[in-house]
Amino acid sequence: MVDFLSSKSTKSKNSTNIQSKSAEKPENSTTCMGNTINDDIMKILKPENVQSSEYEINCDRDPGRNFKNAYNLLCSGLGPYQPTDCDFPKVNGRKFRIEWYVKYPWLEYSPSQNSVFCFYCRALPSASCDQAFITNGFKSWKKMNEYSTNHSKSFGHKESLTKYAGLKSAIKHGNVISKIDSNHKKVVKENREYIKCLLETLLYCAYQGIPIRGHRENEDSENMGNFLELMKLRAKDNNILDRYFLQKEKSFRYVTGTYTNEFISLMAAFVTKNIIKDIQLAGIYSILIDETQDLARHEQVSFIIRYVDGNLNPHEVFIGFYRTARTDGECLTNLIKVVLNSYNLRIEDLRGQCYDGAASMRGSYNGVQAKIRTENPLAFYVHCHAHILNLCLVDLAKQVSYVRNTFGTLKALHNFIGASSKRYEIFEQIRIKMGDKIGPKTLKSLSDTRWSCRIDALDSVLSNFTVILKTLEDISEQDSIYGSDASSLLFSISNFEFVFCIVFLNDVMRETNILSKYLQSPNINYANVNTMTLQTVAILNEHRSVTEFDKTWNKAMKITKKNNISSPKLPRKRTIPLKLGGGQVNSTNIISVQDMYKINIYYIVLDIVIKEIQDRFKENDLNILQAMKDVIISEKPENNSIKLVCETYNLDFNEVTIELAMFNRMFKTKYDEFNINNKIVYLLCGDIQIGFTNYTKIIKIFLTIPTNTSSCERTFSCLKRLKSYLRTSMGQERLSGLALLQIQREVPIDFDKVIDEFVSNGVGGNRKLTLK
């Protein structure tokens, strides 16, 4: 009946009923007075677009002919049948009186049987109702008043009226089922809103990388941890949190460590699901792998996937940290397969691998790249270009003694001044006193694995050179314990050789640092790397001139004069003892001190850097990459390049050749410079890639192959923030989930779907709070 009562109706007007609104109604029938249903019932019960007169014409309302139609009439918006324009026959000298309609508003008359019925008892009968007023009809007019009064007072009649009152109340306010349903919806909405607040608070903590749990989380604790304290703060402005969390309206609050771990896992799974969906849509992908040791001495593997979307934009996405017991090639290869299989990513769709230079990764036989290529030869290995450049600079420091000594002195300076707060305070006070506010405020440390540390260390010393001299002089005079160390360092830096080296190396490292930062971008490709590398080598070759040497020399001389450092001198010539034959060691035709610095330091350093970059970067000059670069960029690519690309990726040679000729002809009408960026822009313009499917496929493969593992290195920064010395006991799943949420924070999270997943993950779907 509830479903049926959900239809709408309009108020009916019964032309045959008595319209005696001015008549006074008896007290015992105020709930059902009148011969039509009230407006609320009429609006709901009566079907739309149907007039009351149609019911009167199309249905027989005579209760004597059809005593079972009362409920239908009631649902149709009609009341008791009370005709006034018919002849009322006499029986034993008595007949029906119209006034009884007013006295007994439930009364209805049957012209066919000349009897009366109770409309509400017929419509909503009860077991104790008088059958004379339901089925047989009452026609003893002599006893009409007596029996009608008794019927009005009877239990059966009152029960029918109660049912009618309940019907009206159900229509106006809703029945018990609808009220229960409405209350259920309200409770579910509030419960879900509370869980959503929990998720938002957890997500905020994850985004900020701050600890979630507190050391003590009982009610007496002054600091319950970031998560619970933030919940308390939000509860001041959030009614749901105030009721559920502070006032504890519900006995279960879902704030324990077990539930926070589950919430973090669910949100991380939602992010991962969306990422994997985009990767699968791309069709092909590459992997970037690197490993590091966390503070708990666990080996963590950062797993990143590179793919290209429909607009040819490359993306490098983090999918988690994975703990491994060993870092040999076989163990890491198995880990990669397990991770790819867990996300339904086929190894056949792998097009590139990018790792650092560790033997376990790049080994030709037992390395990860070799084992992966045995299963998929198209998964070409690329040694991270950023790591290659760093190796070039590390080798430079090892091969040239002047450079080695300079960096050794820089490291000793940092360790000496920074190791003591007292000595560092002297450095700071002198710096403030001299008003030197330009450049770094502190000395920087050196490391073989931090790519920008060398330029930072050189900058810090050059900017604070005078301050360092004053600091060492002060310490050597006043410190009785470490004064000798300060004097040794002061002697090491108070000479032209050191000044010239830091000035010259600062210029060289600045050029290579630009290349290093460029190589760390996730948006670059092999063609851009080649272009930028060639330009860097060209700039370094330009530095290899007398003019550029003179500029460096003059800078060094300016610094030495400013700080009263003695002018450069030729080193004393070493001689061989007479008993060993005599003569000079390394006798050359150097005639001036400038020539000595130019030949022995300036040119040698530049030659080594240039040669190292050229030789080491050739490792990644794969034939297929060169061929794809030629096919994509050149106006007239060589047939050998086209053939190699077609054979490698199973493309039709004739189709590719035709597409290239047509595309380059069209491209030339709008662009003069042939480069990959312009070609991608033109390919996407007007959606013309539909006509060049093979060319688009080649570009997509080319962009999918990675050039560096800098994205992995960035995740290690996140790992360091998350797994601090106070959080070393963090579980692997929690660590990976928090890292994923923080690193992939641009992926929006649908909290409703997360809550639905939380409900479905319950034991038999049973949770303490009703969420569905």
Side-chain angles (χ1 to χ4, degrees), residues 307-331:
Y307 69 96
V308 178
D309 61 21
N311 292 324
L312 300 181
N313 295 317
H315 301 272
E316 291 183 358
V317 292
F318 173 76
I319 61 173
F321 284 120
Y322 297 90
R323 181 177 167 183
T324 179
R326 297 179 299 170
T327 57
D328 58 275
E330 183 177 359
C331 186

Side-chain angles (χ1 to χ4, degrees), residues 66-101:
N66 186 3
F67 66 89
K68 295 181 180 181
N69 67 345
Y71 180 75
N72 293 334
L73 294 173
L74 178 64
C75 293
S76 300
L78 300 175
Y81 184 57
Q82 300 174 344
T84 58
D85 56 351
C86 61
D87 296 331
F88 298 104
K90 289 184 178 182
V91 178
N92 298 326
R94 295 179 182 273
K95 67 176 182 178
F96 180 81
R97 296 168 59 185
I98 297 177
E99 290 81 2
W100 288 336
Y101 287 149

